[in-house]
Amino acid sequence: MQGMTTAPAGPDRPAPGADSDAAGRRVAPRRAELARMIDHTLLRPEATGEEIVNLCADAAKLGVGTVCVAPTHVFLAAASARQAGKDADPSFAVASVVGFPHGTHLTVIKAEEARRAVADGATEIDMVVDIANIMDENWRAIETEITEVRLSVPPHVILKVILETALLPDESIAAACRAAEDGGAEFVKTSTGFSPAGGASLRAVRAMVAAVGGRLGVKASGGIRTAEQALAFVDAGATRLGLSATKDILADVPA
């Protein structure tokens, strides 16, 4: 299992969560700090190359840590990150999705998707597990597919595991988090944003935080549209946020 760090966000490391004050209470992040926790996301199937270029231009201006795009857009996003960066360092990391959005791809296909995304420039992979295995409480199968994807990419690549938590009770969320940890993931993530059941919830994030105990990062994603919601998820323990309304949200966070 590969643990998360507390270094600033970047292509090879998770983003930090909110700081705490002397009494141990969480302190709401300021705008720049929150921006580094954001995966600025565009996963609509009809998204054009021009929209991806604009997404990346906004990412550089806003100072986000990562953009998250479909596998077909990784090469373009990675090129945009390099162009926006300085001294040959990308301005932001590039994440891509695997087994998206339903998680029903065969494990060998997910592993190959991950390999190809990394070859095209992704340094983070957000994989959807086979949700049916969670519903069946087949934790060994979940761990196995996560392990296969983890082994398909280099160790520096960050692996996030999407659980579609809106479908799950807290006990299943906790068990799935343990399987993700045992499989070598660096993050667990709430949602694809495409499930009719819904997206992120504070209940799910709290259950995930309790299950991983700071050993893994927790990404809240799906339906977060306001600064108030974003900060509430950080307060609940999320260390990453998957957002598409990034610009509007950051505009409402104090600098």
Side-chain angles (χ1 to χ4, degrees):
M1 190 270 297
Q2 308 202 11
M4 66 179 289
T5 72
T6 56
D12 59 351
R13 52 194 178 267
D19 292 329
S20 299
D21 64 15
R25 295 169 298 198
R26 288 183 179 272
V27 177
R30 309 296 285 186
R31 184 184 301 159
E33 182 186 2
L34 183 65
R36 297 298 290 171
M37 297 171 66
I38 291 172
D39 289 6
H40 188 38
T41 302
L42 178 54
L43 292 169
R44 289 186 290 102
E46 73 276 14
T48 65
E50 181 180 1
E51 288 179 297
I52 296 301
V53 170
N54 290 338
L55 177 88
C56 293
D58 286 342
K61 291 176 185 176
L62 296 170
V64 304
T66 308
V67 297
C68 186
V69 298
T72 50
H73 291 139
V74 169
F75 190 87
L76 179 58
S80 297
R82 291 191 299 271
Q83 186 174 12
K86 297 178 180 178
D87 300 324
D89 289 328
S91 178
F92 44 82
V94 176
S96 189
V97 290
V98 163
F100 196 84
H102 302 302
T104 51
H105 298 53
L106 295 172
T107 300
V108 66
I109 302 300
K110 293 180 183 180
E112 182 61 20
E113 274 191 306
R115 275 192 292 267
R116 292 192 177 213
V118 171
D120 282 346
T123 54
E124 303 190 3
I125 297 294
D126 290 28
M127 70 169 287
V128 189
V129 296
D130 190 332
I131 307 300
N133 282 329
I134 298 182
M135 308 303 284
D136 288 338
E137 299 185 353
N138 192 347
W139 311 120
R140 180 61 61 86
I142 294 168
E143 179 185 340
T144 297
E145 77 163 332
I146 294 167
T147 299
E148 289 299 313
V149 174
R150 173 71 272 173
L151 292 175
S152 72
V153 296
H156 73 272
V157 173
I158 292 171
L159 178 62
K160 311 186 199 97
V161 175
I162 306 173
L163 305 178
E164 214 66 276
T165 53
L167 294 167
L168 308 174
D170 289 0
E171 295 79 6
S172 294
I173 291 173
C177 286
R178 289 191 291 269
E181 182 174 7
D182 291 342
E186 282 77 28
F187 277 80
V188 285
K189 175 178 170 180
T190 57
S191 321
T192 61
F194 284 75
S195 172
S201 70
L202 294 174
R203 171 195 66 85
V205 166
R206 291 178 181 127
M208 295 161 81
V209 170
V212 303
R215 298 180 300 277
L216 275 64
V218 173
K219 179 177 172 181
S221 182
I224 304 172
R225 298 185 178 88
T226 68
E228 182 180 9
Q229 289 175 319
L231 293 173
F233 278 109
V234 173
D235 186 62
T239 55
R240 286 281 190 102
L241 300 173
L243 305 177
S244 57
T246 305
K247 184 176 181 180
D248 292 340
I249 288 172
L250 288 177
D252 289 334
V253 176

